[in-house]
């Protein structure tokens, strides 16, 4: 069995604030160790279910958060950026399942460290008219590649968002949002035991990805009209208003195109991720 783990950070056990997840933050070094422990719990669960090939993609921010020496030796690590496929770099049809560790809810939700990809620079996103964030777009893209998402870990809001997209995905709430920067924390050992147990159980029951075909429409509303205006220089990008652009295409190519949009936006803005 080949497993792919996409590891974000905002939804990791114990983390609630920008200082926990941003390089230079006063608790970042502790945060990256907490991230490794959640990932390692998923790896142990995968091994218990018979996984023999495990790839971990560091999918948060600079994508250099996981220290190789802190990762379970059974897993290979994809680290650094840029990555054409962003949070799903290295995912192929040969993988049997995707596990999303440390994910968070989309922009506008009252979840811990909620946002969609770029702090507050992205105000809203829609996939085929449906509100979407990192969870839904990763799920849809993985399905297009032909690999099912089987488990997601994060706060209760992230888990609810995943269930809304696909109720068959098992979720592990490692904390319960009290506000955007506050949570009722599940004890670390308990949370990691739940991750390990849930991953082992999920992978013991083979699943297939939901069928995905044809073109999709991705729509993004930016905080800055300058970003939207600049993106119109990319063939196939159209505007619906001064701050909203959209494009059509098949996933995963549309996901890759969205990565180009974010690189353009990053070159035009200098916004802190959480404010």
């Amino acid at each position: 069995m080949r497993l792919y783990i996409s590891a974000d950070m905002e939804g990791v056990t114990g983390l609630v604030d920008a200082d926990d997840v941003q390089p230079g933050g006063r608790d970042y070094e502790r945060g990256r160790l907490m991230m490794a422990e959640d990932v390692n719990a998923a790896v142990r669960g995968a091994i218990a279910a018979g996984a023999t090939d495990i790839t971990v993609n560091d999918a948060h921010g600079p994508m250099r958060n996981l220290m190789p020496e802190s990762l379970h030796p059974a897993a290979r690590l994809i680290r650094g950026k840029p990555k054409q496929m962003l949070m799903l770099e290295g995912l192929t049809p040969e993988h049997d399942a995707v596990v999303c560790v440390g994910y968070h809810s989309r922009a506008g939700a009252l979840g811990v460290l909620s946002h969609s990809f770029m702090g507050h620079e992205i105000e809203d996103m829609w996939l085929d008219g449906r509100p979407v964030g990192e969870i839904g777009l990763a799920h849809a893209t993985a399905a297009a590649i032909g690999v099912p998402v089987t488990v997601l870990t994060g706060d209760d809001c992230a888990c609810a968002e995943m269930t809304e997209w696909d109720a068959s995905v098992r979720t592990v709430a490692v904390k319960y949002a009290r506000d955007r920067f506050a949570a009722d924390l599940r004890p670390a050992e308990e949370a990691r035991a739940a991750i390990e147990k849930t991953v082992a159980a999920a992978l013991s029951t083979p699943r297939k990805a939901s069928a995905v075909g044809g073109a999709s429409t991705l729509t993004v509303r930016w905080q800055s009209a300058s970003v939207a205006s600049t993106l119109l220089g990319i063939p196939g990008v159209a505007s619906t208003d001064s701050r909203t652009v959209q494009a059509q295409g098949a996933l995963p190519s549309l996901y890759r195109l969205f990565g180009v949009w974010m690189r353009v936006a990053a070159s035009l803005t200098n916004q802190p991720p959480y404010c």
Side-chain angles (χ1 to χ4, degrees):
M1 181 195 307
R2 296 188 64 188
L3 176 67
Y4 181 93
I5 298 175
S6 176
D8 205 353
M9 197 169 182
E10 289 88 352
V12 162
T13 299
L15 309 188
V16 298
D17 189 83
D19 274 339
D20 295 332
V21 301
Q22 290 179 287
R26 54 191 172 181
D27 291 321
Y28 170 70
E29 293 302 323
R30 172 181 168 275
R32 65 199 306 202
L33 292 174
M34 298 286 279
M35 179 185 184
E37 289 301 321
D38 278 16
V39 171
N40 287 341
V43 172
R44 291 193 299 270
I47 293 170
T52 56
D53 186 301
I54 302 170
T55 297
V56 175
N57 178 33
D58 188 332
H60 172 73
M63 300 185 176
R64 293 185 293 106
N65 309 282
L66 288 170
M67 295 175 286
E69 63 271 22
S70 298
L71 194 63
H72 193 293
R76 294 197 317 276
L77 177 62
I78 300 176
R79 191 169 189 261
K81 62 190 304 186
K83 296 172 178 170
Q84 288 191 359
M85 285 301 293
L86 310 170
M87 302 178 79
L88 297 178
E89 182 73 20
L91 180 64
T92 72
E94 285 69 43
H95 286 101
D96 297 293
V98 173
V99 170
C100 298
V101 172
Y103 269 56
H104 56 83
S105 53
R106 65 178 180 260
L110 196 60
V112 176
L113 292 165
S114 59
H115 67 283
S116 295
F117 292 97
M118 290 190 71
H120 70 270
E121 185 54 46
I122 292 177
E123 291 193 347
D124 287 294
M125 297 175 61
W126 298 265
L127 183 65
D128 294 328
R130 186 179 183 182
V132 70
E134 295 170 35
I135 291 171
L137 197 54
H139 180 279
T141 303
I145 293 171
V147 188
V149 175
T150 56
V151 177
L152 177 136
T153 79
D155 76 341
D156 57 324
C157 292
C159 291
E161 189 172 317
M162 181 75 266
T163 299
E164 183 181 350
W165 271 89
D166 184 350
S168 70
V169 178
R170 303 192 191 202
T171 61
V172 181
V174 301
K175 54 195 171 190
Y176 302 89
R178 291 297 181 93
D179 209 292
R180 195 164 177 239
F181 303 104
D184 181 354
L185 304 177
R186 197 168 178 179
E189 289 188 9
E190 177 186 306
R192 289 163 189 152
I195 293 171
E196 182 174 346
K197 181 179 179 180
T198 302
V199 170
L203 296 181
S204 297
T205 306
R207 289 183 57 225
K208 292 184 178 180
S210 303
V212 173
S216 292
T217 301
L218 180 64
T219 306
V220 179
R221 182 172 179 81
W222 304 88
Q223 184 188 58
S224 168
S226 177
V227 172
S229 175
T230 302
L231 291 175
L232 295 178
I234 299 174
V237 178
S239 63
T240 61
D241 61 42
S242 64
R243 291 191 286 130
T244 308
V245 299
Q246 65 180 205
Q248 291 185 329
L251 292 166
S253 295
L254 194 58
Y255 187 73
R256 189 181 302 116
L257 175 62
F258 173 63
V260 175
W261 292 5
M262 286 199 291
R263 286 191 284 275
V264 171
S267 73
L268 295 172
T269 62
N270 187 27
Q271 302 281 3
Y274 310 107
C275 55

